[in-house]
Amino acid sequence: MALTDDAIDKIKQMIISGRLAPGDRLPREADLATQLGLSRNSLREAVRALALINVLDVRQGDGTYVTSLAPGMLTEAISFIVDLQHDGSVLEFLEVRRLLEPAATSLAAYRMSDEDVAGLADLLDSLGESPTLEALVENDQEFHRRIARASGNDVLASLIESVSGRTHRARVWRGLTQDSAVARTLDEHRAIQLALAQRQPDVAQAYASVHVAGVEQWLRRTLAEAGDQPNLG
Amino acid sequence: MALTDDAIDKIKQMIISGRLAPGDRLPREADLATQLGLSRNSLREAVRALALINVLDVRQGDGTYVTSLAPGMLTEAISFIVDLQHDGSVLEFLEVRRLLEPAATSLAAYRMSDEDVAGLADLLDSLGESPTLEALVENDQEFHRRIARASGNDVLASLIESVSGRTHRARVWRGLTQDSAVARTLDEHRAIQLALAQRQPDVAQAYASVHVAGVEQWLRRTLAEAGDQPNLG
DNA sequence: GGGCAGAATACATCCGATGACTTGGCTCGG
DNA sequence: CCGAGCCAAGTCATCGGATGTATTCTGCCC
């Protein structure tokens, strides 16, 4: 079907060409439809599709706007797609995460501000003695999110956040079934934070590698033992 | 707006839960609309949005199907989003590519079949003596695509393909403005192929790093000299 | 058995109408 | 003069139905 797809492409081109800048408001549905030579319904399908991947922001009663288009917007969109991957590819996502996370951690050792490094320690402290598994995983995600952001590369941070979401359930599962996992996670977080504080990129990177590889190895072993995959959902 | 968004989410959940498996055909628009309790128009918006990111495959006169959902489908969807990033983030994409590409090349040194390694040599040979810039870039992309695929990690391959698309224009630009770039690219490709053939992961990885870093450094220098960004479009 | 015409099926597109939400201005009381 | 609340305009949300178009299947004809 050419018509609606054309519309999607035209809007995309308007943005790429700069005719529509981030924050700009689009013409009314009716006007834009006329402009592009199609009906309002067809245009709406195009707009909806672009809104799903966060390119457009539709506000009822107000209008439709172009989003910031910052790399950060990649996260949600990619996460949506990533959610649909089957469990069979969790290992692949973990493998990718093992490539990205240490790199980001290394960069963060150079670039993270002293305040933010201290903030990481506070974050870890906030967990208390015997946190719930839920709180732990939440804390885990926030810890890595902050480090990814501190890498100074928004694209990298977005990708990490996206693929991490996919491995989330695996981490919960591990916490439930492997007693030592919780303590080990906490220890490794401490070690990473310390390396960041001491501005040792290589050490921070190594700990990050170990950290992700731990989950990966556990999952590999679990899958091999079980003979098939655990229900990660 | 809850209604259409709900529909998107419901379809997504049907897929995640397994009620809709890859390859399955969805009920007719009218039926599904009734099932989900909304009008055909609204449903169509939801379907269109999911089709844009390759989750659904709509065939006029036939029906709507769930795609394979293989990690490979990530590529097109992510590329679409990546296309919309502004030139300012090209460096960030290159930085990420510099993380992923060497890793994939290293893996390929272990996993690529002998035939495929030989095929890489053929691919490079096919360029001839003095290729056009267009042919070179095309050849360049195919070369890296094959290596990425050979990593055995489809998620990794998809991500590489996505971010590489974004750096494509930068590479063309470099070929146009830096005389030595063409010869250097060819040399580095040869070196990577050779390392793969000799099953030297570390060497292959190093050359891949150098290869990407070359573009990156050139772009950094160019941006610094120009004081602003070249028009990469 | 093969090919073609036509029916059946399903998506594509459009139109017009009505509802719902947001914003901003305007009125009115303090 | 200022603020609260009301009101109207603008815009998207949703619907139902009608018509066009592409694909597939079926059955007839050769």
Side-chain angles (χ1 to χ4, degrees), chain B residues 10-201:
Chain B
K10 277 176 186 166
I11 296 175
K12 179 180 172 184
Q13 289 306 326
M14 287 203 290
I15 295 174
I16 292 179
S17 73
R19 195 141 36 112
L20 282 177
D24 277 6
R25 175 173 159 181
L26 272 67
R28 316 176 25 217
E29 281 184 346
D31 292 347
L32 187 54
T34 305
Q35 211 178 111
L36 299 181
L38 38 67
S39 76
R40 239 192 92 227
N41 274 331
S42 300
L43 173 67
R44 276 181 59 75
E45 290 180 14
V47 170
R48 167 74 55 182
L50 290 169
L52 175 71
I53 57 176
N54 274 52
V55 170
L56 296 179
D57 180 18
V58 183
R59 304 179 208 155
Q60 182 178 167
D62 184 357
T64 301
Y65 299 81
V66 179
T67 66
S68 72
L69 297 180
M73 86 172 208
L74 286 169
T75 305
E76 226 179 311
I78 297 182
S79 293
F80 190 99
I81 306 172
V82 167
D83 278 348
L84 287 162
Q85 297 303 310
H86 286 176
D87 285 341
S89 54
V90 174
L91 270 178
E92 297 196 359
F93 279 101
L94 266 174
E95 207 169 66
V96 171
R97 187 180 165 216
R98 180 162 51 78
L99 294 174
L100 298 177
E101 189 100 41
T105 307
S106 172
L107 287 172
Y110 290 108
R111 299 177 182 170
M112 194 175 226
S113 72
D114 290 336
E115 298 82 53
D116 286 348
V117 173
L120 278 185
D122 293 341
L123 177 68
L124 295 179
D125 287 339
S126 73
L127 256 189
E129 284 300 311
S130 53
T132 65
L133 181 60
E134 197 174 294
L136 176 70
V137 171
E138 171 61 35
N139 194 274
D140 182 35
Q141 288 193 302
E142 176 64 16
F143 181 78
H144 290 294
R145 178 160 36 235
R146 289 193 193 180
I147 293 176
R149 288 274 161 71
S151 73
N153 185 325
D154 288 340
V155 172
L156 178 59
S158 284
L159 284 182
I160 289 177
E161 208 160 314
S162 302
V163 303
S164 294
R166 191 64 188 78
T167 64
H168 180 185
R169 290 183 295 174
R171 281 180 275 168
V172 173
W173 185 260
R174 182 184 183 216
L176 286 171
T177 59
Q178 192 181 36
D179 291 339
S180 59
V182 173
R184 182 171 161 186
T185 295
L186 294 176
D187 285 347
E188 287 169 351
H189 283 178
R190 287 285 175 196
I192 291 172
Q193 192 275 332
L194 195 61
L196 291 178
Q198 297 178 335
R199 304 296 175 186
Q200 298 178 308

Side-chain angles (χ1 to χ4, degrees), chain A residues 199-218:
Chain A
R199 304 296 175 186
Q200 298 178 308
D202 51 342
V203 177
Q205 179 170 18
Y207 271 111
S209 291
V210 166
H211 187 54
V212 179
V215 184
E216 191 182 348
Q217 289 182 344
W218 164 81

Side-chain angles (χ1 to χ4, degrees), chain A residues 1 3-4 37-42 60-61:
Chain A
M1 26 103 190
L3 225 161
T4 301
L38 38 66
S39 75
R40 231 189 104 222
N41 273 331
S42 299
Q60 183 180 164

